[in-house]
Every structure is written in structure tokens, then in C-alpha cells.
Amino acid sequence: MSERLLLTALKGGNNTKIITLNGKKMKKMPSALEKLPGLRTLDLQNNLICNVCPELSTLTQLTLLNLGNNQLEEVPEEMKHLTSLKKLHLFGNRIHRFATGVCGGLQELILLNLNYNLLKSLPEEIGRLKNLTYLSINHNQLTMIPTELCSLVHLSALHLNYNQLTCIPEEIKLLQNLRQLFLVRNNIEFLPEEIAARFVLCQLEENNDLIVNAIESYPETKDKLSKAKKCALCSKPFLSEWLECVQFVPPSKNWKISRNLHLIPLRILLCSYHCFDQRGPKVFGIVPE
């Protein structure tokens, strides 16, 4: 069946955009892939593939590659040539390392799924995946997060459930667009102060009885949280200043100022770059000297 499907795809030549060969008990990737330079989607999940073929490097127009549930032991070097790749699924393999240089070529990658593998660490070059927005590494053996990961400014979802993490780096606050952070079933002993503070502050605003009662036993923490501020745009509380801005507003009639002034600058604080991106035309950031 797999041979017949592949022959049909080969007849299409450059016009073939999608190949799906799921669950065919394939032990090798077909080398004939080099004859399909226009391929955009290659789905080979649920097979027995241990290594990718060298011809994979020729698929420079590929945007989606699914090799989930195979027997790969590394993120292979050949993938660095997939310069158009946007989505890469490698879940359910035996991956315990990245080949050197593989991240350097995946500049268009926006989704990387490495769930259910054997990774104990991530390479520093993970920080080269500049367009990555979704990263999932659930059910691995990670013991730490490299600070280089915190340079992925477009990352909006980070899934790290069921690992062996003991802490989260302070640099995680640099992930300006992060909306989802999952850390279920780890060994985390403490969280960065700002992340913990924002969670507790939100729970206090929602009158969470458990948090409201518990905070009474920590007077120093309660005093520190009492100094929290609210974002001028979303009204969410935060502990430390994130972004200082100026907003130009019409003066109140009660203010004793010149009648020639139609707008005056007021200092405001924003909680994140997300809010900064949603600001109105009369709000400007302050650049530190």
C-alpha cells in the first residue's frame, strides 16, 4: 500500500504537495522524496523509522513534517536544510539529543512538538528558533531550562509538564508574548518572584479563600504585595514595574494650567509588552538613557 501511494505521488512530480504514509510499518524513509521538490506536507507518523534519509534535505519547500511515534534518537542534522518548515512533530520517539547546528536552519519554525521523548536537556542553540511560538516538551526528563530559550520573544505557549525541573530561570520574564506556561508534575521548589507575585495577586483579587487565608501567615509577603501596581490598560496587578510610559490626556477643568495646553503627559505603567502593543496612539514608551 505504501509503495502504491508513493508511486502515485511520484507521478505528480512538482505538483505533489502532500504525502501521508501513516501507520505503514515503514522502517526507512523513501529516498525517492528527492523527486518531489515541491512537497509542502510530509506525514510519516506511526511507523518504525530510526533515521531520516539524506534526501530529506532537498525538501526546501516543506512546511509541515510529522515524524511522531517513530524510533528516532535525535533531532537529525538533515532538518537544518528545511528552511521553509513551520511545524515539526517529533512526539513519541526516543530522542535524547539535538544534532549540532540543526536549529540554525529552522528559522521559519513556529511549532515544535517533542512530547514523550528522552530529553534531559535542551541545547543552547534552541535560542536560534527566532519565530517559534509554540513549544511542547511534555513527558521528558528535563532538569533545567537553558536561559537561551528565554530569548524566543515570539513564544506564546510553553508546555513542560511531567519533567524533572527544580526551578525556572528569572530570565523567563523576557518572554514578552508568553501566554501559557504549563509546569505540572515537576520538582519545582520556587518560582521567579514576579511570576509568583502576579499569580497570588490575581487570586487575591478573585477572593480565593485559600490564598486570602494563607497570606495572613506571611506578613512580610503581604506587605510586599500591598505595594503592587495595576496596569493602566488591562488593570491586572503586578509587583515590579515592567514598562514605564507616557499617556497624553486632556487636562481637567480644575487644573490651574495654561488654556493653550490641550494635552498633558501623564506617567503610566504597563504590565507587559502585550499591553504595550495594544496601546492607543496617545501612549508612548519611555526609553531609558
Side-chain angles (χ1 to χ4, degrees):
M1 177 64 74
S2 59
E3 290 82 0
R4 188 188 313 160
L5 291 171
L6 187 58
L7 286 172
T8 301
L10 289 172
K11 289 179 181 179
N14 288 337
N15 294 322
T16 299
K17 305 299 181 185
I18 300 174
I19 288 183
T20 301
L21 295 170
N22 295 340
K24 304 300 181 185
K25 299 182 180 180
M26 299 171 60
K27 295 183 178 180
K28 295 182 179 180
M29 292 181 66
S31 59
L33 289 172
E34 64 179 348
K35 298 179 180 180
L36 301 170
L39 201 63
R40 300 294 181 87
T41 296
L42 178 58
D43 193 343
L44 298 172
Q45 65 176 311
N46 301 321
N47 282 289
L48 303 170
I49 298 170
C50 298
N51 298 291
V52 302
C53 61
E55 290 77 11
L56 179 68
S57 303
T58 65
L59 303 181
T60 56
Q61 295 187 43
L62 201 66
T63 59
L64 186 153
L65 176 59
N66 191 338
L67 282 165
N69 292 330
N70 277 279
Q71 297 180 12
L72 299 174
E73 294 187 358
E74 71 172 359
V75 181
E77 183 179 4
E78 288 82 357
M79 288 185 181
K80 71 181 181 182
H81 300 287
L82 305 180
T83 53
S84 299
L85 199 64
K86 293 184 179 294
K87 297 182 180 181
L88 177 57
H89 295 278
L90 295 171
F91 56 86
N93 280 275
R94 303 170 181 175
I95 295 171
H96 57 86
R97 64 178 179 267
F98 280 64
T100 302
V102 66
C103 294
L106 299 176
Q107 295 297 297
E108 297 300 317
L109 198 66
I110 60 174
L111 179 151
L112 178 56
N113 185 338
L114 287 162
N115 295 340
Y116 292 95
N117 277 288
L118 303 173
L119 287 165
K120 294 183 178 180
S121 63
L122 296 173
E124 293 180 359
E125 68 172 38
I126 194 82
R128 301 185 67 181
L129 302 177
K130 296 300 183 183
N131 284 303
L132 201 63
T133 61
Y134 179 97
L135 177 59
S136 189
I137 320 178
N138 295 330
H139 292 274
N140 276 264
Q141 301 170 18
L142 296 178
T143 58
M144 63 171 292
I145 300 173
T147 56
E148 288 78 9
L149 186 146
C150 300
S151 68
L152 302 178
V153 295
H154 295 292
L155 199 63
S156 62
L158 179 56
H159 297 245
L160 296 167
N161 298 327
Y162 292 89
N163 278 280
Q164 298 174 21
L165 299 171
T166 58
C167 64
I168 302 298
E170 289 285 346
E171 290 84 357
I172 203 164
K173 66 184 180 182
L174 300 176
L175 294 177
Q176 305 168 3
N177 293 294
L178 192 64
R179 297 289 169 270
Q180 298 178 340
L181 176 60
F182 295 94
L183 298 166
V184 173
R185 294 289 181 174
N186 278 278
N187 301 317
I188 296 173
E189 298 175 358
F190 66 91
L191 289 172
E193 182 179 83
E194 184 63 28
I195 292 178
R198 291 191 185 200
F199 173 78
V200 172
L201 286 167
C202 287
Q203 293 301 304
L204 290 173
E205 285 204 335
E206 294 175 7
N207 291 317
N208 183 312
D209 290 339
L210 178 63
I211 300 297
V212 170
N213 294 329
I215 201 70
E216 296 298 328
S217 300
Y218 300 92
E220 291 185 5
T221 300
K222 183 179 180 181
D223 180 65
K224 181 177 288 188
L225 292 177
S226 70
K227 298 179 175 61
K229 308 170 184 66
K230 284 194 175 183
C231 177
L233 292 187
C234 72
S235 297
K236 290 183 179 179
F238 60 97
L239 188 59
S240 60
E241 294 182 13
W242 194 283
L243 289 170
E244 187 175 5
C245 298
V246 168
Q247 181 177 24
F248 286 87
V249 299
S252 170
K253 294 181 179 179
N254 298 326
W255 294 352
K256 297 180 180 180
I257 59 174
S258 171
R259 294 181 179 179
N260 295 324
L261 291 175
H262 301 290
L263 294 173
I264 63 170
L266 289 181
R267 176 178 176 267
I268 61 171
L269 300 175
L270 304 185
C271 69
S272 66
Y273 280 97
H274 175 71
C275 281
F276 184 73
D277 291 339
Q278 305 299 316
R279 71 191 189 283
K282 296 179 182 179
V283 176
F284 299 86
I286 298 176
V287 178
E289 296 182 357

